[in-house]
Amino acid sequence: MAEPMEVDSAWKEAAELCTKQYLLNKTTQEPIPLKSIVFNVDIHHSIARFEVVQQYKNQESNPIETEYIFPMDVRAALYKMTAKYDDVEMESQIMERKKAIKKYEYAISAGRIAAKVDYDPGDQDLVTLNIGNLPAGTDIEIKMHFDYALTIDDLSWCFNIPTRFTPRYVMIKDRLRVIPHDISDLSTAGQAYVSKNEKPYTWDVNTRIVTPSPLTRLMSRYHDIKPSISEDRKEATVKLSQPVVPYRDFSILFRDAELNKPKVYVQKSESHSEVAYMLSFFYDQASQPSRQLISKLECENQVDSTNDTVYDIEEASDDDEGEEQKDQETNSMVNEFVFVIDRSGSMYGDRIALARETLQLFLHSLPDGSLFNVVSFGSKYEMLFDRSVEYNDENMNKAILEVADFDANMGGTEILAPLTKVYEEKPAKGCRRQIFLLTDGAVWDASSVIAAVRANQALNTVHSFGIGDGASRALVVGTAKAGKGSMFFVADSGDLESVVVEALDKISKPPAYIE
């Protein structure tokens, strides 16, 4: 069992401070709290176009350069930014990254106000906003415009706004650092923030949803919302009951009566002689959803707005027995399950408890005849067994007892080393290896991990589980896609049973990237 590391207390402090997102004076690292953020969202079936409106005020006596780092789903594509102060309005240009940075730096060195939005290549689910030469006492409004492809959650379309991010772990010359700032800098900024007794900024969400057929479901799991639905149930507006301090991801889930009907979208470019096509289809690749529940909602012409409804996996009927027998014959290959669980400092508290519970539920649910192993990691890694063992009562009980003692006490998030160790040994003959990665993804160089997964996809399918709010979508989506597996985001224990059932059901399908 790993001993606690001194770095854990710093990690806890850094993680707590990173949940208090604020604008920083880039020179002094003094925080400049945001006044507000508003999301205006327009959703048409499976595509969203939205703007993020941020309000700031420079309370300093001199012009300053500021920096603000915030999370954004990797499915969101930034296409426009505007900045407005006094009677001046500026509009952005999209250009190659190095050229944009050089142009921004030239502008502020010349004493002009300038703004820049940037995705870092190493961490594409964090967006950095810089404002240079922000005049003293000036209010400024920043608008960023995004296009977004909706994800699938609980057999519904899902629009998600990340509201927190985990500090990213990186080793530089044997020194622990977090991104965006050094831990000591974060500490200083956090103390200044608290000492000023400033109230945290609030955010609001205004959403319009248009569907080709009547809505049958519209809900948010974690926030109180005020929906207004048209008479034909093909359009809805959704607002928060009141502006709130961000405390967890905001998600809207919705279904319409023709959810499973394929659709093709065509758009012509306004500035280029190009046409874009998108095919959208929603196929329930696991078992069919509960027909009884969905039919009830559609026949009664009502919209399900409860936040505890899960579209359960339907039990097999007598009519399905022949098909089920065919599936069993087709998928007779033995699976080797390797669970790679994150025990780094950023997993402390609710995250590690959720990861333990998820892993224990998997261990209780594996198919007979399987092989399995558990690898836990932080700055180093530990293997429960020297190599994968047979899944039986003795080995299962041993694993469950060991997992019960897992804590977030293994330092930084070094995912690459344990994965490399697993890849070194080929799966047993006749086995397909299923790697289940449970992590918050708090690693700086996600691209190296994704590249390693892609290089070993022939013999290893990787399924990724983002644990807790703020999990890195870049890492979870990237590893699942590269490993031709499935991806899940587990925000609380209420999600676990359906996630485990669906994940184990999907491994019976041919290897493919599945959402």
Side-chain angles (χ1 to χ4, degrees):
M1 181 174 170
E3 294 297 325
M5 300 179 67
E6 293 181 3
V7 76
D8 286 351
S9 59
W11 258 99
K12 292 179 182 179
E13 180 182 11
E16 288 168 357
L17 291 167
C18 279
T19 64
K20 300 179 179 124
Q21 298 163 29
Y22 41 74
L23 189 70
L24 289 175
N25 183 320
K26 193 173 181 181
T27 302
T28 66
Q29 295 296 295
E30 287 288 315
I32 304 171
L34 293 170
K35 295 173 66 176
S36 68
I37 295 183
V38 178
F39 293 84
N40 297 316
V41 186
D42 199 18
I43 298 173
H44 286 260
H45 193 241
S46 60
I47 302 174
R49 172 160 282 192
F50 66 99
E51 66 176 15
V52 184
V53 184
Q54 305 182 17
Q55 300 280 351
Y56 306 98
K57 183 179 181 67
N58 177 15
Q59 298 174 335
E60 303 292 331
S61 57
N62 299 301
I64 59 172
E65 182 182 8
T66 64
E67 182 174 71
Y68 174 51
I69 298 180
F70 63 99
M72 186 51 63
D73 198 300
V74 290
R75 287 175 170 266
L78 176 66
Y79 68 89
K80 180 181 176 183
M81 179 187 74
T82 61
K84 184 177 181 180
Y85 68 99
D86 295 334
D87 295 327
V88 179
E89 183 166 354
M90 302 180 295
E91 185 169 328
S92 64
Q93 294 179 306
I94 296 175
M95 59 184 65
E96 188 270 331
R97 185 170 182 265
K98 290 182 179 179
K99 183 179 178 181
I101 293 173
K102 186 176 180 180
K103 191 169 183 177
Y104 167 78
E105 291 175 346
Y106 177 79
I108 62 174
S109 66
R112 300 197 301 270
I113 185 170
K116 171 177 66 71
V117 177
D118 184 26
Y119 287 96
D120 193 294
D123 206 348
Q124 295 187 13
D125 57 351
L126 292 180
V127 179
T128 301
L129 167 65
N130 293 100
I131 306 172
N133 292 324
L134 181 59
T138 298
D139 289 301
I140 186 167
E141 177 185 85
I142 301 289
K143 286 186 180 180
M144 285 176 286
H145 301 256
F146 296 88
D147 284 334
Y148 178 85
L150 302 191
T151 56
I152 297 166
D153 186 2
D154 199 18
L155 300 182
S156 304
W157 291 115
C158 175
F159 175 76
N160 181 80
I161 300 174
T163 56
R164 300 193 295 181
F165 64 88
T166 302
R168 299 293 192 254
Y169 164 78
V170 62
M171 291 295 293
I172 299 177
K173 296 182 179 178
D174 300 323
R175 180 167 177 254
L176 179 71
R177 294 180 63 87
V178 291
I179 303 301
H181 302 287
D182 181 81
I183 287 176
S184 61
D185 295 332
L186 277 171
S187 303
T188 303
Q191 291 164 5
Y193 184 90
V194 174
S195 66
K196 290 182 179 178
N197 295 317
E198 298 279 2
K199 291 182 179 180
Y201 69 86
T202 60
W203 53 262
D204 202 358
V205 183
N206 304 306
T207 305
R208 174 174 172 259
I209 300 172
V210 178
T211 56
S213 61
L215 285 162
T216 59
R217 186 189 200 192
L218 176 60
M219 53 81 78
S220 175
R221 282 210 176 108
Y222 310 120
H223 295 81
D224 291 329
I225 58 174
K226 293 191 301 183
S228 176
I229 303 172
S230 66
E231 188 174 342
D232 63 1
R233 294 189 292 125
K234 293 183 179 181
E235 183 172 339
T237 58
V238 180
K239 297 178 178 290
L240 287 173
S241 296
Q242 60 183 9
V244 297
V245 175
Y247 65 97
R248 70 184 313 169
D249 287 5
F250 175 81
S251 295
I252 288 179
L253 276 68
F254 67 92
R255 290 180 63 98
D256 65 280
E258 296 181 355
L259 186 71
N260 295 78
K261 185 176 180 179
K263 298 171 181 64
V264 176
Y265 297 90
V266 181
Q267 183 173 358
K268 184 176 181 180
S269 172
E270 296 177 358
S271 55
H272 303 281
S273 57
E274 297 177 349
V275 177
Y277 296 86
M278 186 181 85
L279 171 64
S280 173
F281 62 94
F282 189 118
Y283 174 60
D284 302 332
Q285 184 141 3
S287 302
Q288 291 295 314
S290 173
R291 296 187 187 92
Q292 181 179 2
L293 173 59
I294 296 175
S295 297
K296 174 178 179 292
L297 294 172
E298 293 173 353
C299 290
E300 294 181 358
N301 291 322
Q302 68 182 55
V303 177
D304 171 24
S305 60
T306 57
N307 62 5
D308 55 354
T309 298
V310 175
Y311 285 74
D312 297 315
I313 301 301
E314 186 176 8
E315 294 183 5
S317 64
D318 294 339
D319 296 336
D320 296 329
E321 287 181 359
E323 192 67 30
E324 183 179 346
Q325 178 66 30
K326 186 187 297 183
D327 287 344
Q328 290 176 352
E329 293 171 358
T330 303
N331 299 287
S332 58
M333 178 180 288
V334 173
N335 282 297
E336 175 192 358
F337 296 90
V338 179
F339 298 94
V340 181
I341 179 171
D342 189 346
R343 293 174 59 189
S344 64
S346 63
M347 290 284 291
Y348 82 100
D350 292 343
R351 284 193 180 103
I352 190 65
L354 192 57
R356 281 197 305 263
E357 193 175 351
T358 304
L359 179 50
Q360 288 174 328
L361 189 54
F362 269 120
L363 291 172
H364 277 293
S365 309
L366 296 182
D368 293 335
S370 304
L371 302 177
F372 81 102
N373 203 350
V374 177
V375 183
S376 59
F377 69 90
S379 298
K380 58 181 181 179
Y381 63 87
E382 297 176 352
M383 302 185 71
L384 182 60
F385 303 103
D386 291 338
R387 59 181 58 194
S388 293
V389 297
E390 180 184 356
Y391 179 68
N392 55 37
D393 287 344
E394 179 182 353
N395 290 331
M396 179 194 71
N397 290 330
K398 178 181 178 181
I400 288 172
L401 286 174
E402 290 284 345
V403 169
D405 291 329
F406 280 4
D407 204 354
N409 58 356
M410 294 184 69
T413 311
E414 291 282 1
I415 300 178
L416 192 56
L419 282 178
T420 301
K421 177 64 177 177
V422 172
Y423 291 146
E424 284 177 355
E425 186 170 336
K426 291 183 178 180
K429 188 175 181 180
C431 284
R432 174 76 190 181
R433 180 178 288 150
Q434 310 287 342
I435 299 175
F436 284 23
L437 176 62
L438 285 67
T439 180
D440 63 3
V443 60
W444 174 240
D445 190 11
S447 58
S448 295
V449 178
I450 294 169
V453 171
R454 183 177 295 109
N456 291 276
Q457 64 176 231
L459 299 176
N460 304 270
T461 302
V462 175
H463 311 274
S464 301
F465 298 77
I467 303 296
D469 280 326
S472 168
R473 290 181 172 265
L475 185 85
V476 174
V477 174
T479 50
K481 186 174 182 179
K484 294 188 175 180
S486 52
M487 67 172 183
F488 302 88
F489 290 91
V490 186
D492 58 41
S493 57
D495 301 332
L496 289 183
E497 187 172 349
S498 60
V499 164
V500 169
V501 169
E502 186 177 355
L504 291 177
D505 184 79
K506 282 181 176 179
I507 67 168
S508 65
K509 306 299 185 292
Y513 169 53
I514 304 168
E515 273 191 355

